[in-house]
Amino acid sequence: MSQLSRLISILTLLRSKRLLTASELAKKYEVSVRTIYRDIRKLEDAGIPITTIEGRGYSLMEGYAVAPVQFTEQQANALITAQHLIKQTQDASFVKDFDEALTKIKSVFRTSVQQKSELLERNIYVFNSSNYEDISSNALSEIQLAITNFNYVEINYKKAEATEVSFRKIEPYALYATNHKWILIAWCYLRNDYRAFRIDRIQNFKILNDTFEDRKFDLLTYFRSCPYEDK
């Protein structure tokens, strides 16, 4: 990460969290604490009103660069709760993208809302059910882009109890979640029909540059005619 990118990221974090220490920042960006000290000085030299609280860390002066959009305490709590629920999706790419988006959103919280949202974040927990497969994935974010941009996707897929992995070329159309699993509905060229694929059973995937013509897929119609079976 370049110094400029790190400075912008530090500023975003300062706007999203009430208090940050140099050690926290150094660990996050994998640099020395001395480097963080220099970064903070550069931000201060640029006119950013950073307050140093002795022995506790750094914060931004109240009211600095407040965005026109404001969140109520209930809305902030909803986002914090959503963050905990999303972490149960078992897809690393989606969790990462949501966490980064939430950091940007939190940067416009008023200080009072930040304080209360941090309190809630420390006092909310979602227990994992013990009756589901703990299989993680890291494809959801890319698959979402393929859906919205109508890109073909090639996947290597392994069904439950199957011994072999099959190659599929698909047109991705829709996603839904059930029992901590994300399910992709796609037109499968191998089967010449719509099929449901568990994201966590996709062994490898490749998003192609080529695009397909929209078949006007409707998820509700699909559910009525072809309910999902765990495969």
Side-chain angles (χ1 to χ4, degrees):
M1 176 182 284
S2 67
Q3 184 184 53
L4 178 59
S5 297
R6 189 172 64 249
L7 290 174
I8 294 172
S9 183
I10 289 173
L11 179 57
T12 300
L13 283 173
L14 284 168
R15 293 177 62 191
S16 69
K17 195 171 183 181
R18 193 163 41 89
L19 198 65
L20 284 168
T21 67
S23 296
E24 286 177 309
L25 293 170
K27 183 177 179 180
K28 177 176 179 60
Y29 299 109
E30 298 180 342
V31 297
S32 67
V33 171
R34 187 183 297 273
T35 296
I36 295 299
Y37 290 155
R38 289 198 293 265
D39 289 343
I40 294 297
R41 281 198 296 271
K42 283 186 176 293
L43 289 171
E44 289 173 332
D45 291 343
I48 309 300
I50 297 175
T51 301
T52 302
I53 303 175
E54 193 65 35
R56 296 182 62 193
Y58 303 107
S59 67
L60 281 179
M61 184 181 296
E62 171 70 13
Y64 169 73
V66 175
V69 176
Q70 293 292 341
F71 290 85
T72 66
E73 184 180 344
Q74 293 94 327
Q75 291 167 342
N77 289 345
L79 288 167
I80 296 300
T81 304
Q83 182 182 36
H84 284 268
L85 293 173
I86 283 172
K87 287 180 179 178
Q88 308 304 309
T89 64
Q90 299 294 98
D91 187 274
S93 65
F94 188 56
V95 172
K96 176 178 177 292
D97 287 341
F98 184 86
D99 284 346
E100 291 177 353
L102 185 58
T103 294
K104 294 178 181 179
I105 293 171
K106 287 165 68 177
S107 71
V108 303
F109 285 179
R110 297 189 307 275
T111 298
S112 60
V113 173
Q114 283 183 359
Q115 292 172 333
K116 293 177 180 179
S117 68
E118 289 173 12
L119 173 63
L120 180 65
E121 190 169 0
R122 294 192 301 270
N123 290 283
I124 189 170
Y125 188 82
V126 178
F127 284 95
N128 289 326
S129 171
S130 59
N131 61 357
Y132 75 95
E133 295 174 273
D134 188 16
I135 304 175
S136 62
S137 60
N138 192 26
L140 187 59
S141 291
E142 293 295 324
I143 296 294
Q144 288 175 328
L145 289 177
I147 290 173
T148 57
N149 291 286
F150 300 99
N151 291 108
Y152 289 108
V153 182
E154 294 178 343
I155 64 173
N156 290 323
Y157 191 73
K158 187 175 185 298
K159 291 183 177 181
E161 310 302 331
T163 57
E164 296 183 355
V165 175
S166 63
F167 172 81
R168 314 285 185 100
K169 182 178 180 180
I170 61 174
E171 299 174 3
Y173 280 103
L175 290 159
Y176 68 93
T178 178
N179 297 327
H180 301 276
K181 307 178 187 76
W182 279 101
I183 313 301
L184 168 67
I185 308 300
W187 179 268
C188 175
Y189 281 87
L190 180 64
R191 303 304 182 195
N192 199 35
D193 199 357
Y194 291 109
R195 286 291 186 269
F197 301 96
R198 272 178 48 177
I199 296 293
D200 58 0
R201 293 196 178 281
I202 296 176
Q203 305 287 299
N204 302 99
F205 71 96
K206 181 180 180 181
I207 310 296
L208 305 183
N209 292 326
D210 295 339
T211 58
F212 55 86
E213 291 293 326
D214 186 6
R215 297 175 188 265
K216 307 301 180 184
F217 174 83
D218 181 76
L219 188 58
L220 183 57
T221 301
Y222 175 84
F223 282 147
R224 288 170 176 165
S225 63
C226 187
Y228 168 69
E229 295 180 1
D230 191 359
K231 295 180 179 179

